[in-house]
Amino acid sequence: MAVGRTPMQPGLLSSTVGFCEGRLAPNSIYAVLHRECRALFPDEMFADLFAEDGRRSVPPMIVAVVMVLQRLEGLSDREAVERFAFDVRWKYAAGGLDFDHPGFVHTVLVDMRARLAASARPNRIFERTVEVAAQAGLVGRRRVLDSAPIYDAVATQDTITLIRSAIRGLLRAADHVLRAELRAVISSGDAYTSTDKPVIDWTDAAEREALIDSRARDGFALLTVLDGRAVPGDVGQAARLLATVLGQDLEQDGGVFKIARKVAADRVISTVDPEARHGHKTVRRSFDGYKGHVAEEPDSEVITATEVTAGNAGDAEPAADLLADVLQPPAAEQADQARAEVYGDAAYGTGPLLAELDDAGARVMVKVQAANAPGGRFSKDAFTIDLEAGQVTCPNQVTAAIRPKSDGGGTACFKTACAACPLAAQCTTARNGRVITIGPHEEHLARGRARSADPVWLAAYRATRPKVERKIAHLMRRRHGGRRARVRGRAKIAADFSLLAAAVNVARLGVLGIMSTGSDKWAVAAG
């Protein structure tokens, strides 16, 4: 299929331009797309996705405009193509097409996403919005970081459902010869063809335990058949998933497999979407799925980077990727503003990230959680830590040497000095005395805690960081496609989240008055 070309000459009397001009606000997303869609998303930008000859595709620029509006309005594929066919604003946004411009089927959107996913630049629509904002001088070297839960698009499965579903997936992946061999070792009598739970008395603990034990034995028997054998990739993947499910939820007690009274740290919660995880946004607020991470330029409120991680990932884990553009040395023309400035809440105040920001010479505006101790006793901040001298001095002016560890940290043990210390009751209840643990990034954490207590620093932080929370609210205001994923799997959700950020960026560029000045140059309209 060859790349289609957007019509350049709409009909004089049939164009949507005359109808929409004056009826839509000049800074609305429809108006900015109408004015700039050909410069924002030219057909040539997608040429590498198509063959040089063949049947012409729906013009990629039109598809890109529909995808942006679809994500902004939280529509399904069918709803989006219907909106393009009958909503005059969408045709106006796609360059002022005629009222009777033909629509297209929803599979065009499916095909475009697949082509983008398989390309070298799968997030090019989002990247283009950032590029345009940078050309217009709207992207500096300040960044604010934040994240939000993305609820998964599948149901969280209980242990028996996980095991049976994983076994069913392995049998389905195997060819008929291997399937027959696998079925021969199943001893529970379960055919594993139905998604329905086995019929037992679920109020009877003995029946529940027997069900778990029998299905677990089936699973281990299947893995034993495959042990050491070369199998096709899809069979191997299904076997690994089964092994993970069996290992995470079960324990053996007296030769019987039972559900373990614990939650595995990286527990798979669904065989339909094996990458989804249990997550916690706060101590009391849990969710199942993923986390969407953004970096925002706080002055223009343009999103500059996005990432999606499993729900149990820490906020600081993808931070380096989100900040890759500002942690690199600046271009020559930006030498006067070479120092990056990074804002983040206490979730980003981890030693490794603080060390990386300090090493890059960034101005660190990241909160660091204050040190604390149980029972209101002396926290670590009450001790004087001298890393150069390799010692720690307690509030009673007793000094202990730091015993180094292999990871670059260490411990300082006060031992018997605590027994006769008049401040012991305010410090520790341990029989062997107070122990101060020194992390490998202790210097950066201590510096961060000192910064967080500075009123001037705190005023700047409070004036800037809330901007990203407002941007997160813009991204998540739709139930589906915003807060709840529309697709399954981290890669697809990441692409969808990137497209959502592109749509929000286009809307923001419209508010800021972005305009093309020719030759891929961009500016913000005066006034």
Side-chain angles (χ1 to χ4, degrees):
M1 181 180 290
V3 62
R5 299 296 176 182
T6 304
M8 300 298 291
Q9 296 292 335
L12 182 62
L13 300 178
S14 59
S15 171
T16 53
V17 175
F19 180 82
C20 292
E21 293 286 353
R23 288 182 168 87
L24 293 173
N27 63 352
S28 72
I29 190 170
Y30 305 105
V32 71
L33 282 172
H34 169 72
R35 292 193 306 269
E36 310 297 350
C37 60
R38 288 182 171 84
L40 266 174
F41 310 124
D43 293 325
E44 294 76 15
M45 175 177 156
F46 305 92
D48 61 300
L49 305 180
F50 299 90
E52 293 185 0
D53 53 19
R55 180 171 60 85
R56 293 285 180 181
S57 68
V58 176
M61 187 217 76
I62 293 176
V63 179
V65 167
V66 170
M67 290 173 72
V68 165
L69 292 175
Q70 174 192 18
R71 294 307 297 111
L72 194 67
E73 299 189 17
L75 304 177
S76 69
D77 289 346
R78 284 185 170 85
E79 289 169 333
V81 297
E82 184 176 286
R83 189 71 62 88
F84 176 72
F86 298 106
D87 191 327
V88 66
R89 295 172 302 176
W90 284 48
K91 289 184 177 179
Y92 175 72
L97 301 175
D98 292 344
F99 283 100
D100 61 351
H101 185 86
F104 51 86
V105 296
H106 73 279
T107 53
V108 170
L109 298 173
V110 179
D111 178 70
M112 176 61 88
R113 287 195 297 269
R115 290 175 185 270
L116 286 169
S119 73
R121 292 180 57 213
N123 297 325
R124 68 186 69 189
I125 295 177
F126 168 71
E127 292 166 0
R128 178 60 174 162
T129 66
V130 180
E131 178 186 330
V132 166
Q135 281 277 354
L138 297 172
V139 178
R141 293 180 63 78
R142 303 175 75 211
R143 296 291 182 271
V144 194
L145 304 177
D146 205 1
S147 71
I150 300 177
Y151 306 140
D152 57 21
V154 298
T156 300
Q157 297 173 330
D158 57 42
T159 300
I160 190 62
T161 303
L162 280 170
I163 294 173
R164 294 188 70 252
S165 180
I167 291 175
R168 193 165 55 252
L170 177 56
L171 294 173
R172 188 167 52 243
D175 61 33
H176 68 283
V177 176
L178 179 58
R179 188 181 304 120
E181 188 177 351
L182 293 173
R183 285 196 175 281
V185 300
I186 292 175
S187 58
S188 67
D190 194 332
Y192 294 104
T193 56
S194 172
T195 58
D196 297 335
K197 282 187 178 181
V199 180
I200 65 167
D201 181 0
W202 289 94
T203 63
D204 188 327
E207 285 198 41
R208 293 198 306 270
E209 290 180 2
L211 176 66
I212 287 290
D213 181 63
S214 64
R215 272 45 175 191
R217 292 183 184 281
D218 282 350
F220 284 114
L222 297 180
L223 294 177
T224 300
V225 171
L226 298 177
D227 187 29
R229 294 174 58 167
V231 294
D234 54 347
V235 176
Q237 184 176 354
R240 285 190 294 273
L241 178 57
L242 175 58
T244 299
V245 167
L246 291 171
Q248 70 182 8
D249 283 355
L250 301 178
E251 61 184 8
Q252 210 167 11
D253 182 8
V256 177
F257 289 103
K258 296 183 177 180
I259 296 178
R261 298 302 178 185
K262 61 183 177 64
V263 177
D266 196 37
R267 184 175 186 267
V268 173
I269 61 177
S270 171
T271 57
V272 180
D273 188 354
E275 294 177 291
R277 294 291 185 272
H278 295 305
H280 285 270
K281 185 58 179 173
T282 66
V283 174
R284 293 181 177 85
R285 182 183 169 196
S286 62
F287 66 94
D288 291 337
Y290 299 84
K291 279 185 184 176
H293 306 260
V294 300
E296 180 196 55
E297 212 296 334
D299 295 323
S300 62
E301 299 185 23
V302 169
I303 298 171
T304 59
T306 66
E307 289 284 342
V308 168
T309 63
N312 60 351
D315 284 6
E317 290 184 28
D321 293 332
L322 293 170
L323 298 169
D325 57 336
V326 294
L327 295 185
Q328 298 297 324
E333 62 271 15
Q334 293 179 313
D336 59 334
Q337 52 171 347
R339 195 178 186 195
E341 188 172 285
V342 178
Y343 291 77
D345 62 20
Y348 296 93
T350 63
L353 178 58
L354 294 174
E356 187 163 2
L357 295 177
D358 283 338
D359 291 344
R363 185 185 180 203
V364 183
M365 302 296 293
V366 176
K367 262 195 169 182
V368 178
Q369 194 73 41
N372 59 71
R377 299 183 182 90
F378 291 133
S379 69
K380 185 189 289 188
D381 287 345
F383 293 73
T384 302
I385 300 173
D386 189 337
L387 295 175
E388 289 188 7
Q391 62 185 27
V392 177
T393 303
C394 78
N396 196 37
Q397 303 307 307
V398 175
T399 298
I402 298 175
R403 300 175 60 183
K405 291 184 176 180
S406 59
D407 64 357
T411 56
C413 305
F414 289 87
K415 298 183 179 178
T416 56
C418 295
C421 179
L423 302 177
Q426 299 171 256
C427 187
T428 183
T429 58
R431 285 187 300 177
N432 295 326
R434 182 69 181 265
V435 177
I436 297 297
T437 301
I438 311 299
H441 303 288
E442 191 66 39
E443 177 185 0
H444 302 284
L445 290 167
R447 191 182 305 154
R449 283 193 289 269
R451 277 193 302 258
S452 299
D454 179 5
V456 176
W457 183 96
L458 198 56
Y461 173 88
R462 287 172 174 169
T464 304
R465 210 200 86 75
K467 294 181 178 181
V468 75
E469 295 179 342
R470 182 165 61 246
K471 189 60 61 175
I472 287 285
H474 292 167
L475 290 166
M476 298 297 171
R477 66 178 180 259
R478 306 286 180 185
R479 174 174 171 79
H480 293 282
R483 184 68 68 188
R484 183 169 295 280
R486 304 187 313 153
V487 289
R488 298 194 296 264
R490 193 181 68 83
K492 289 184 178 180
I493 292 173
D496 204 48
F497 191 64
S498 168
L499 187 59
L500 176 59
V504 170
N505 272 355
V506 173
R508 180 61 185 166
L509 293 176
V511 171
L512 295 173
I514 198 78
M515 60 181 294
S516 171
T517 58
S519 301
D520 205 22
K521 301 293 183 183
W522 297 82
V524 175

